[in-house]
Amino acid sequence: MQFSDLTRRGRLPRLDSTDILPLAFAGLSVGVGILAISLFWLAVSFSKLAHKPLPTLVQQVDGRAFTVRPADVHYREPEVIRRVVSDWAVMTFTWGSIPGKETETIEEGIKVKGTDRVTESAWEAGFLLASDFRDVFLAQLATEIIPDTVFDGQVSAVIIPQEVSPPQVVAQGLWQVDLIATRIVFDDTNPAGTTIPFNRRFYVRAIEPPRKPLIKNASDYQQVVYRLLESGLQIDEIRPIHGEELSQ
């Protein structure tokens, strides 16, 4: 008797027929729960995909086509903002030919105030300035910065951008960019060049780029304006950066 009882006690418990139905129901419940979670996840994923804006195809008049992603009307790529600042500086403060290089072409310049002139590239770069700022700046550039000797080939200059800071948001569609650069002015008295620091803070604003594509027979004037404004950016203000601000 005792041996038989020990044998029965050492055996694994057996499932009774009455236990199978509850276990099957529990397993089915777990499976249904997992299926419900999976279906919910798929529904959310399809909903996000259905409401995702589709890429827009843009085709230019010359036949080139590309896709663009949707963005806020005031958004501009940081690199585009930095490039506008750098390009403006190079166009405005690079004059004449390389020292020691003979050239038969001497720039006549463009009159902006009386007999005072600016270089053609500086005049073009002026279209990157806000309209109420452009006239004042070009007049100051002609009277105080660009010497008349530039237009008879005696003086030339270059500007070397050394650092263009990442744009900082000032307001919606308005950024602050700091430019650290060096101007070098060459003349007969100093062929090696005179070095002039050029540290400025720019305030760049988003504007509406030209809507209509450039016409086929556009004038040189129209091409310049279109090319400079197609990035949708304009410079509102330029301020000197003082020594204590350089370390900020």
Side-chain angles (χ1 to χ4, degrees):
M1 273 306 281
Q2 292 179 355
F3 178 78
S4 177
D5 291 341
L6 290 174
T7 303
R8 285 196 295 268
R9 291 175 184 176
R11 291 176 181 174
L12 295 174
R14 293 181 177 179
L15 291 176
D16 192 82
S17 59
T18 57
D19 297 330
I20 296 177
L21 184 60
L23 290 175
F25 182 77
L28 181 62
S29 299
V30 172
V32 170
I34 294 174
L35 181 61
I37 293 173
S38 301
L39 289 175
F40 177 76
W41 180 81
L42 287 174
V44 172
S45 301
F46 278 120
S47 177
K48 290 183 178 179
L49 183 62
H51 291 87
K52 184 178 180 180
L54 296 175
T56 301
L57 178 69
V58 176
Q59 187 168 32
Q60 297 182 330
V61 293
D62 59 3
R64 290 182 298 170
F66 50 91
T67 57
V68 296
R69 59 179 174 81
D72 182 79
V73 68
H74 296 105
Y75 176 79
R76 299 292 183 273
E77 289 287 345
E79 277 305 312
V80 175
I81 300 172
R82 297 176 68 204
R83 191 179 70 241
V84 164
V85 170
S86 179
D87 289 351
W88 177 88
V90 171
M91 293 176 67
T92 303
F93 293 100
T94 299
W95 319 317
S97 60
I98 300 173
K101 181 180 179 181
E102 296 183 0
T103 177
E104 298 179 356
T105 304
I106 297 179
E107 184 174 349
E108 296 181 0
I110 297 176
K111 293 181 180 180
V112 295
K113 185 179 180 181
T115 58
D116 295 319
R117 294 173 287 175
V118 297
T119 60
E120 183 176 348
S121 63
W123 178 81
E124 291 180 356
F127 290 107
L128 285 172
L129 304 176
S131 56
D132 57 345
F133 177 38
R134 179 177 184 269
D135 293 342
V136 175
F137 178 83
L138 289 179
Q140 183 181 12
L141 188 69
T143 57
E144 301 178 14
I145 301 177
I146 299 180
D148 288 337
T149 46
V150 168
F151 305 108
D152 55 21
Q154 298 181 32
V155 175
S156 60
V158 296
I159 187 169
I160 304 173
Q162 295 163 304
E163 181 181 348
V164 184
S165 71
Q168 298 182 18
V169 178
V170 177
Q172 186 179 38
L174 179 66
W175 299 269
Q176 170 188 305
V177 180
D178 291 347
L179 171 67
I180 308 301
T182 301
R183 291 178 54 213
I184 305 177
V185 180
F186 306 93
D187 56 29
D188 293 337
T189 61
N190 187 5
T194 301
T195 301
I196 305 172
F198 185 84
N199 304 322
R200 296 293 186 273
R201 177 162 293 165
F202 293 74
Y203 291 89
V204 184
R205 182 178 300 279
I207 62 170
E208 185 176 6
R211 287 188 176 183
K212 296 181 179 180
L214 192 63
I215 60 176
K216 184 176 181 180
N217 297 322
S219 65
D220 293 342
Y221 173 85
Q222 291 172 316
Q223 293 179 31
V224 168
V225 175
Y226 189 93
R227 174 172 56 85
L228 292 173
L229 297 183
E230 64 181 350
S231 62
L233 291 166
Q234 218 168 37
I235 299 170
D236 271 5
E237 187 178 359
I238 303 173
R239 299 179 185 175
I241 302 178
H242 302 290
E244 62 274 10
E245 296 177 300
L246 290 175
S247 59
Q248 295 180 357

